[in-house]
Amino acid sequence: MTSKVKTTGAPLPVKPRLEIKEFMANKKQFSLYVQALIRLSKIHGRPFGPWNNVDPPLNPQGQPKGFCVHHEIQFLTWHRPYVALFEQEIYKRANSIAKEYKTDSEAWIQAASDLRQPYWNWADPSGILPQALLDLFFKDSVTIGPASKDGAESSVSNPFCLYHFKDGERDGFTTDPPPPVVDWPQTLRYPTSKGPEARSNMTKFNTMLNLEGDRIRYDTERLSSLTTWKAFSSDGGKTTNSLEKIHDDMHDLIGGIFDGGHMSRIPFAAFDPIFWLHHAQIDRLTDKWHNERQLWAPDAGSFLSLLLCVPVAH
């Protein structure tokens, strides 16, 4: 039996999470993040399997399902420790990488200490998708600080663009009928086909996000008018302005609305690197509303067992 992982988030003192455009301007933190970017998706969806010595919950048919909670009042409270866990792992790896630098070593170590998971503010009044972000999400490579630790900038494969599946990772993707994700060797956004030759369609991605950007911003601004946790968090997908409804819309707009890519298919969404920027924004909006209303999820005991699937340290 392996030892359990305790979810604590990044250690104290508290440091702010930066919006991705500001984060990109911090060359040291951006460089460390790119090098540390890893995958933590098995908890969220497929392939369904045990995590942290806990078997996945079962659906009404007695079959394993993912640990994640959707279209229920626990939606936000489950995803908070999930994002904190990913941030915790990114922090650990970034700090390990920073210690390898011999030039300007103290600055690299400080940058790693301050690093937190960035978020994508898709409700930014200045626009949902500036050119810098479109480039980040679709260019094959990015320039970072000295990955070789010799003081020179480097061009490296862009982890924000896509994730290449390793051998065997798609074995648990099969369902009846099998979805096209079984055949896709990498994550896709607005896939050009259902076959293994499919590629992401940057033009459709850009067009749809800019068409819907004003509506997303308007719906996000209206969240402050909601006065109950149920209306704000999730009303089983019925409330058009709940945060989960906006969350769902953004998943579809990122992955593709019809026959979309991985972000449009919740059991597979966490493989797309944009997932973490998106959910850090959801976490930010949750915290913002909570601080304004001083309200939290009611009757916490009724879903404590769900939260225990991801151990949380207080």
Side-chain angles (χ1 to χ4, degrees):
M1 179 178 290
T2 58
S3 60
K4 288 195 173 185
V5 176
K6 181 181 289 187
T7 304
T8 62
L12 295 173
V14 174
K15 298 291 182 179
R17 291 176 178 169
L18 302 180
E19 208 281 330
I20 184 60
K21 295 184 290 296
E22 182 182 357
F23 187 78
M24 290 166 64
N26 187 319
K27 294 189 182 235
K28 284 187 170 60
Q29 285 196 11
F30 180 74
S31 297
L32 290 168
Y33 185 88
V34 166
Q35 293 176 80
L37 190 56
I38 60 169
R39 177 182 54 83
L40 279 176
S41 55
K42 194 172 184 180
I43 314 170
H44 189 268
R46 290 186 178 273
F48 300 143
W51 189 86
N52 215 21
N53 297 328
V54 177
D55 289 329
L58 304 179
N59 63 22
Q61 291 73 44
Q63 300 167 327
K65 64 177 184 177
F67 288 102
C68 62
V69 177
H70 290 274
H71 302 140
E72 298 179 35
I73 198 171
Q74 307 97 330
F75 164 68
L76 295 176
T77 46
W78 187 91
H79 282 82
R80 292 211 85 182
Y82 183 50
V83 174
L85 174 60
F86 183 78
E87 181 175 64
Q88 171 182 321
E89 294 301 311
I90 284 287
Y91 177 90
K92 282 164 46 177
R93 282 154 179 76
N95 276 265
S96 177
I97 293 166
K99 292 174 183 176
E100 299 174 12
Y101 284 87
K102 305 305 179 188
T103 302
D104 205 14
S105 57
E106 289 186 8
W108 282 102
I109 290 172
Q110 185 61 55
S113 178
D114 293 344
L115 188 149
R116 299 295 184 271
Q117 170 60 37
Y119 64 92
W120 173 20
N121 183 11
W122 26 251
D124 190 334
S126 66
I128 191 170
L129 190 64
Q131 186 62 45
L133 280 192
L134 188 62
D135 291 343
L136 180 68
F137 294 156
F138 280 91
K139 280 194 170 182
D140 292 334
S141 62
V142 290
T143 300
I144 64 170
S148 61
K149 322 298 182 296
D150 61 1
E153 289 190 337
S154 306
S155 179
V156 299
S157 179
N158 181 7
F160 292 96
C161 178
L162 54 81
Y163 174 74
H164 284 285
F165 292 102
K166 299 178 179 66
D167 290 342
E169 280 188 326
R170 289 174 286 160
D171 291 350
F173 286 7
T174 55
T175 59
D176 187 18
V181 293
V182 174
D183 297 321
W184 291 334
Q186 73 264 340
T187 55
L188 296 171
R189 301 159 192 157
Y190 292 82
T192 55
S193 78
K194 293 183 178 181
E197 76 287 347
R199 295 293 180 267
S200 292
N201 190 320
M202 181 180 69
T203 301
K204 283 188 177 180
F205 177 90
N206 187 30
T207 299
M208 291 305 301
L209 279 164
N210 280 292
L211 279 174
E212 294 292 323
D214 287 345
R215 179 183 66 83
I216 292 294
R217 182 170 63 253
Y218 174 72
D219 287 348
T220 303
E221 290 171 350
R222 287 185 59 220
L223 289 172
S224 61
S225 69
L226 302 178
T227 58
T228 68
W229 176 263
K230 185 176 182 181
F232 168 74
S233 171
S234 175
D235 196 12
K238 298 175 184 178
T239 302
T240 58
N241 194 42
S242 71
L243 182 52
E244 184 171 22
K245 177 61 169 61
I246 300 169
H247 155 273
D248 291 351
D249 288 349
M250 283 302 302
H251 267 275
D252 285 340
L253 287 170
I254 293 166
I257 296 173
F258 302 108
D259 292 324
H262 294 77
M263 274 291 281
S264 302
R265 304 167 187 267
I266 295 300
F268 311 96
F271 284 102
D272 188 318
I274 289 183
F275 178 95
W276 305 104
L277 301 176
H278 171 51
H279 268 275
Q281 163 77 342
I282 296 295
D283 199 52
R284 168 180 170 266
L285 293 172
T286 301
D287 191 65
K288 185 171 182 275
W289 187 89
H290 166 65
N291 285 330
E292 290 172 353
R293 292 288 179 183
Q294 291 300 301
L295 292 173
W296 196 240
D299 194 17
S302 67
F303 55 87
L304 180 60
S305 61
L306 284 170
L307 293 182
L308 287 177
C309 289
V310 178
V312 182
H314 296 283

